[in-house]
Amino acid sequence: DTAVSQTPKYLVTQMGNDKSIKCEQNLGHDTMYWYKQDSKKFLKIMFSYNNKELIINETVPNRFSPKSPDKAHLNLHINSLELGDSAVYFCASSHHLSGGPGETQYFGPGTRLLVL
Amino acid sequence: AQSVSQHNHHVILSEAASLELGCNYSYGGTVNLFWYVQYPGQHLQLLLKYFSGDPLVKGIKGFEAEFIKSKFSFNLRKPSVQWSDTAEYFCAVKSGGSYIPTFGRGTSLIVHP
């Protein structure tokens, strides 16, 4: 029944490790996103994929690499984790990327990443 | 680039008090406007949205927002808050040609029982 799901919900790891966060949506949407929410609750867009194609890549270190095996999945792989990567990462999806009326983003539950 | 301002970063109210959270944006063209709520430890959920038509929009849980184009504002209101309304509230604005919305930095609302 879950619309946008993410795994894991919590991730605690050491600096320098490589980790992945998975996202799946069962809404039949074309577009998926990754957002980072920092400790001050500020929500920043990282990536957007439309039909498995990278559309938006904001100023994000190369250590972050999104992968979309199909329209329903957008995974985030992070290499060489740093302390500053600690945050909540939200996946979201929307019907289209067109930006037209009716476009609403649906968010996943978030992955709380803590880098020690 | 468009920007979204939520002037109240922290709001503390008693139950049954009335609520108004401010949201102002900088873009002058056609906009789509959203309010999201994030309950403690949970994901963002859509409260309400405005695309066109009646500038007074009613959302879930008794919330409403009014789009005032001349003031570039989309303030969120609720006549009587409950303890369960304690959450972070995010305003988001998408301009006509933009792919993604810009989020404000959020307002933390605490309602005392």
Side-chain angles (χ1 to χ4, degrees):
Chain A
D1 204 30
T2 308
V4 183
S5 59
Q6 291 177 231
T7 53
K9 197 168 179 182
Y10 299 95
L11 187 51
V12 181
T13 188
Q14 300 283 337
M15 264 174 55
N17 284 351
D18 303 337
K19 290 292 176 188
S20 291
I21 307 171
K22 295 186 175 179
C23 178
E24 177 181 0
Q25 53 95 5
N26 63 6
L27 297 165
H29 287 169
D30 287 344
T31 310
M32 297 183 73
Y33 312 80
W34 276 109
Y35 284 86
K36 179 181 179 181
Q37 186 180 45
D38 61 25
S39 57
K40 294 183 180 176
K41 301 287 187 179
F42 201 52
L43 205 62
K44 291 182 77 171
I45 184 72
M46 299 174 71
F47 301 103
S48 176
Y49 268 70
N50 189 56
N51 273 321
K52 302 194 300 174
E53 255 189 74
L54 179 64
I55 300 297
I56 292 166
N57 181 355
E58 292 295 303
T59 310
V60 176
N62 290 342
R63 299 181 294 103
F64 290 79
S65 52
K67 281 198 171 60
S68 183
D70 55 60
K71 216 167 70 161
H73 295 85
L74 180 61
N75 303 326
L76 184 64
H77 189 75
I78 316 169
N79 287 328
S80 304
L81 277 155
E82 298 178 358
L83 295 177
D85 297 332
S86 296
V88 183
Y89 292 85
F90 285 102
C91 178
S93 73
S94 65
H95 202 50
H96 298 301
L97 188 64
S98 64
E103 283 306 332
T104 301
Q105 290 177 312
Y106 293 84
F107 284 81
T111 295
R112 283 143 189 84
L113 171 64
L114 178 61
V115 182
L116 303 174
Chain B
Q2 65 187 14
S3 64
V4 180
S5 299
Q6 291 183 244
H7 308 295
N8 316 103
H9 294 160
H10 301 278
V11 174
I12 302 174
L13 294 172
S14 299
E15 272 195 318
S18 64
L19 170 72
E20 180 157 2
L21 300 183
C23 174
N24 288 89
Y25 60 92
S26 61
Y27 185 71
T30 304
V31 289
N32 303 150
L33 303 158
F34 309 82
W35 274 99
Y36 283 87
V37 61
Q38 185 180 22
Y39 296 105
Q42 294 190 29
H43 62 100
L44 277 81
Q45 301 170 46
L46 184 68
L47 266 182
L48 48 80
K49 61 184 180 184
Y50 170 83
F51 284 86
S52 64
D54 189 344
L56 184 62
V57 180
K58 295 206 183 292
I60 59 170
K61 306 188 183 197
F63 285 91
E64 65 178 32
E66 186 174 12
F67 170 47
I68 303 180
K69 193 173 180 180
S70 60
K71 294 186 178 179
F72 299 91
S73 71
F74 189 55
N75 292 356
L76 181 71
R77 298 194 293 247
K78 185 170 183 178
S80 175
V81 294
Q82 300 171 316
W83 173 79
S84 57
D85 293 325
T86 294
E88 293 276 338
Y89 290 82
F90 293 89
C91 179
V93 178
K94 188 159 64 171
S95 59
S98 173
Y99 289 137
I100 54 166
T102 300
F103 282 80
R105 62 174 295 172
T107 296
S108 175
L109 171 67
I110 296 174
V111 180
H112 288 300

